[in-house]
């Protein structure tokens, strides 16, 4: 069901890409030991992730071995400069299994000259942004947690396309993937990490049950001035949809929600 909604959405834009979302029905794609039985070794985990990727690829029309992921920092540190991007090229495709290629960055891009090469990112509540420049024929992907949103990554993502790769905003089509919605994302106090008042304008609302966090609104606050061609947002709430893993739901007692989903795209 999810697949058909997303694919219809992209084909209606006459897109060159296929977007996919893998959820709990497709397995786990993280190597974090907390998601596996205690007796699992690192080798066991890697074998299972590889199996899941191959099956995911078969399901959505690409090779699970030709699938890149990015290692993104989750807090301020010196692992790499903020907003670093990597444009996937042939030199990144030397290994048999592209998933094992170590890429440290916030943003991944690939061009339409590479068919059926998937770019992906894991998530368990945070929105994945996929921006396609239909005219220039390249697409980028970025994971936007509350930390990344607060430091302005959604804006820098689009800005990078315009300033570095000379995209016309009118040629950019943006997809905001499934994520936890404001109805579900509730803090008992104002989140300390939300320090940028302009970014969080009208995106954190105090109600009787706590502070509701609207990640979509915080993203829109950053990109509303770009006048990009079109923005599509998944209606799926990861905290409430039974098929999706959700970090928020799992730490609030719903053990069946423990895990990670995966979102990505490839050129047809």
């Amino acid at each position: 069901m999810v697949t058909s909604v997303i694919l219809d959405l992209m084909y209606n834009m006459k897109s060159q890409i296929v977007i996919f979302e893998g959820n709990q029905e497709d397995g786990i794609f993280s190597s974090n030991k907390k998601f596996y039985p205690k007796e699992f070794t690192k080798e066991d985990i890697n074998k299972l992730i590889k199996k899941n990727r191959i099956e995911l690829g078969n399901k959505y029309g690409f090779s699970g071995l030709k699938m890149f992921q990015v290692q993104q920092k989750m807090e301020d540190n010196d692992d790499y400069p903020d907003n670093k991007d990597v444009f996937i090229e042939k030199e990144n495709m030397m290994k048999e299994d592209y998933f094992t290629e170590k890429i440290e960055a916030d943003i991944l891009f690939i061009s339409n000259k590479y068919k059926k090469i998937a770019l992906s990112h894991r998530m368990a509540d945070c929105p994945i942004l996929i921006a396609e420049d239909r005219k220039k024929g390249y697409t980028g992907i970025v994971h936007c947690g509350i930390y990344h949103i607060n430091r302005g990554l959604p804006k820098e993502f689009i800005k990078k396309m315009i300033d570095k790769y000379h995209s016309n905003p009118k040629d950019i089509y943006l997809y905001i993937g499934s994520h936890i919605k404001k109805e579900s994302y509730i803090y008992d106090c104002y989140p300390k990490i939300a320090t940028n008042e302009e970014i969080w304008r009208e995106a954190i609302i105090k109600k009787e049950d706590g502070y509701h966090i609207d990640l979509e609104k915080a993203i829109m606050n950053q990109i509303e001035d770009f006048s990009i061609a079109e923005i599509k947002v998944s209606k799926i709430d990861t905290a409430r949809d039974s098929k999706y893993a959700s970090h928020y739901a799992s730490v609030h007692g719903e053990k069946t929600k423990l895990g990670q989903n995966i979102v990505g795209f490839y050129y047809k």
Side-chain angles (χ1 to χ4, degrees), residues 28 30-38 40 45 48-49:
I28 298 173
S30 168
S31 59
N32 193 319
K33 286 191 173 183
K34 71 179 182 180
F35 299 129
Y36 302 92
K38 292 182 178 179
F40 266 44
I45 291 171
L48 183 56
I49 292 172

Side-chain angles (χ1 to χ4, degrees), residues 68-72 103-108 120-122:
F68 288 96
Q69 64 171 340
V70 64
Q71 295 183 22
Q72 184 186 32
I103 303 173
E104 294 181 318
D106 282 328
I107 308 164
L108 280 188
S120 65
H121 211 302
R122 300 181 307 278

